Structure formats: structure tokens, C-alpha cells
Amino acid sequence: MKIDKKIITIDGFDYAVRIWGTGEVLFALHGFSESSNTWRNLHLAGYKIVAIDLLGHGSSAKPKALAPYKLEAILKNLHLLFAQFTDGNAFSLLGYSMGGRLALRYCLAYPSAPVKYLILESTGPGLLSSEDRQKRRLADEELGQKILLNGSAWFADFWANISLFKSQKKLSVKIQQEIWESRASNSPLALAQTLNGTGQGQLPYVGDKISLIKSNILYLSGDLDEKYSKIAKEIFAPNPNVTWISVAASGHNIHLENPVTYQKILEEFFLSQNAL
């Protein structure tokens, strides 16, 4: 399938997007240190997928200053970017990990936005206590300094070996190498500023606000990802607007580790919702 690549300038910053398919618009937001390329194998009949390189990632702008990486600025620019493709019409929003955190908070920050469906993959609601958020801020600042000191290749080695991604060791050597190269291609400064601007310690807890979102929510967690399976069960699933699916034989990055099942789940979700 042909993929169109565009650069959209929002508030002085260039955002790179990849577009494929036809139909209703589905915006896709990737995880930390990734790019829109992570969604390249996702094809959904009846949907135009608009995959975005988030600020500091991929081919999008990588400003030096911290302010553009702050949550309010990121969400404002995403809101303006979404409008470029929808002309006020309804759209759906898909986010993985960091992208999911942004998608979730976008729906809360812009409650009148016409988000039809919100799909969250391995997404956290933030840290509940101020003490935990402070600890995470310090840890992210320390990691940012290490990235600046040691470079993106060091980061790619480090990130591949954190416990959250242990299930990716089962992927082919080729795919693991592609993941490593993608992570290693990042700007050290942009990674550090992303951690300092929208890292987990910087974001407010929103686990008590999920029921306020007007969109129907699909939450996906991998059954091998104990941390986010617990989050899904305890925080997301109890809300009446959430459908939770635990995906077998999958870790944190389900769309990468189990792409066939992932696509089937999304197709069935859209069909079931549209049939209502």
C-alpha cells in the first residue's frame, strides 16, 4: 500500500506524518524513542491512518528548548494538527505507551474534540502520589543526562535491556536490529528533553478521570506485561466506557510482537462498535 509522507508546520514546528488507507481518520501516536514507522504494518479497511512523528522524534522538529516538550504545548499542537486532516469531522485516536499517555490526556484536555474511539495500548494513567512523581522526575533527569553523555547508541543498548521489553528477545534478530537502529537514530538532546518535558514524573495522575472521557475506549495490554496488565485490570477496566482485552503471548509492544492478532482485535472492535 502506498504511504504518503508530509511535513505539516504547526506553531513554527515541523511535524512529519505518514498517511495510508482511505476512510475515517485514525491518528496513531508512537512510543518513546520510536517514530510513525512503528505503525507501518497496520492496515484497517475503512480507515485512513495518519501516523505522526511526535515532537523530538523521527523526522519531526527537535527543538533545543524545553518549553515545546511540555504537555500543554504538545497537546495544543496535536489539536491543531488533527484539525488539518479532519475539518471538524469525527476521528479516532490510537496511542502506544508514551503516545497513549498523550492520547488519553488529549481527550481530557479537549473534551469537545470529536474523538469517536480511543485505543490505548500499554498506557499508564500517571503516578498517583507526588512522592512517586518526584522520584520518577529525578530518575528521568538522570537518564537524560546519561543519554547526553553517552549517546543514542548507548541508549538503544540500555533501553533494549530494561525489564519492560524482555519479551522482545523472542523476536527475530532482524526485527530486534531494526528496533535498535530506530532507537539509536534519535537525537540525544531530544530524548532528554522529552523525558524532562513529558516523562511520567511530569504528568498529572488521571486514573480517576477515565470515566469522564466521552469516547468509547479500547484498552490493550499484553499478558506477558505484568505491570500494564495490572493497570488495565485495576484502573481502566472498571470504567463503563472501557473495553479491556488482554492479548496472549504479548509483552509491552503488542503491535510489534503480535501484529496479526493486534490488527484482528482492532478490526473486530470497530465492527462491533459500528454495529451498535
Side-chain angles (χ1 to χ4, degrees), residues 19 25 61 63 70 83 106 113 116 152 168 177 198 209 233 236 243 257 260:
I19 308 158
V25 175
K70 291 289 190 177
Y106 173 81
K116 190 174 181 180
S152 294
Q168 292 183 14
Q177 180 64 23
T198 47
K209 296 180 172 62
K233 181 179 180 180
F236 284 89
T243 298
E257 298 177 37
V260 174

Side-chain angles (χ1 to χ4, degrees), residues 171-262:
L171 296 171
S172 70
V173 173
K174 180 177 180 292
I175 292 178
Q176 290 189 58
Q177 180 64 23
E178 289 175 353
I179 296 170
W180 186 93
E181 290 175 356
S182 177
R183 289 170 176 157
S185 68
N186 281 281
S187 156
L189 178 60
L191 289 179
Q193 292 295 58
T194 299
L195 289 169
N196 293 330
T198 47
Q200 295 242 36
Q202 300 290 344
L203 303 182
Y205 178 77
V206 295
D208 55 348
K209 296 180 172 62
I210 296 166
S211 64
L212 301 178
I213 294 175
K214 300 173 184 177
S215 317
N216 289 332
I217 301 172
L218 172 64
Y219 189 101
L220 303 178
S221 63
D223 67 344
L224 302 178
D225 183 354
E226 295 179 3
K227 176 181 178 180
Y228 283 86
S229 292
K230 187 173 187 290
I231 287 172
K233 181 179 180 180
E234 296 180 357
I235 299 175
F236 284 89
N239 293 279
N241 56 336
V242 175
T243 298
W244 169 41
I245 296 178
S246 176
V247 185
S250 300
H252 190 64
N253 191 327
I254 307 163
H255 70 269
L256 181 70
E257 298 177 37
N258 204 339
V260 174
T261 300
Y262 188 86

Side-chain angles (χ1 to χ4, degrees), residues 72-255:
E72 184 178 355
I74 292 282
L75 296 185
K76 183 188 75 171
N77 283 359
L78 285 176
H79 186 62
L80 295 172
L81 182 57
F82 295 161
Q84 295 272 333
F85 291 91
T86 59
D87 194 28
N89 295 316
F91 60 90
S92 295
L93 191 51
L94 164 64
Y96 158 67
S97 197
M98 180 185 77
R101 296 197 298 270
L102 296 176
L104 175 62
R105 286 164 176 80
Y106 173 81
C107 290
L108 291 168
Y110 293 90
S112 62
V115 180
K116 190 174 181 180
Y117 305 122
L118 173 62
I119 302 100
L120 301 174
E121 176 188 349
S122 306
T123 295
L127 301 171
L128 179 59
S129 75
S130 58
E131 292 83 3
D132 286 343
R133 289 195 295 274
Q134 175 63 10
K135 288 179 182 177
R136 184 57 182 265
R137 280 195 293 272
L138 294 174
D140 282 347
E141 288 174 7
E142 182 181 355
L143 175 57
Q145 288 300 316
K146 288 180 178 179
I147 297 171
L148 289 172
L149 178 64
N150 299 300
S152 294
W154 172 87
F155 166 77
D157 287 334
F158 169 80
W159 210 236
N161 288 292
I162 65 174
S163 60
L164 197 63
F165 298 124
K166 62 183 179 181
S167 58
Q168 292 183 14
K169 301 295 185 182
K170 68 181 180 179
L171 296 171
S172 70
V173 173
K174 180 177 180 292
I175 292 178
Q176 290 189 58
Q177 180 64 23
E178 289 175 353
I179 296 170
W180 186 93
E181 290 175 356
S182 177
R183 289 170 176 157
S185 68
N186 281 281
S187 156
L189 178 60
L191 289 179
Q193 292 295 58
T194 299
L195 289 169
N196 293 330
T198 47
Q200 295 242 36
Q202 300 290 344
L203 303 182
Y205 178 77
V206 295
D208 55 348
K209 296 180 172 62
I210 296 166
S211 64
L212 301 178
I213 294 175
K214 300 173 184 177
S215 317
N216 289 332
I217 301 172
L218 172 64
Y219 189 101
L220 303 178
S221 63
D223 67 344
L224 302 178
D225 183 354
E226 295 179 3
K227 176 181 178 180
Y228 283 86
S229 292
K230 187 173 187 290
I231 287 172
K233 181 179 180 180
E234 296 180 357
I235 299 175
F236 284 89
N239 293 279
N241 56 336
V242 175
T243 298
W244 169 41
I245 296 178
S246 176
V247 185
S250 300
H252 190 64
N253 191 327
I254 307 163
H255 70 269

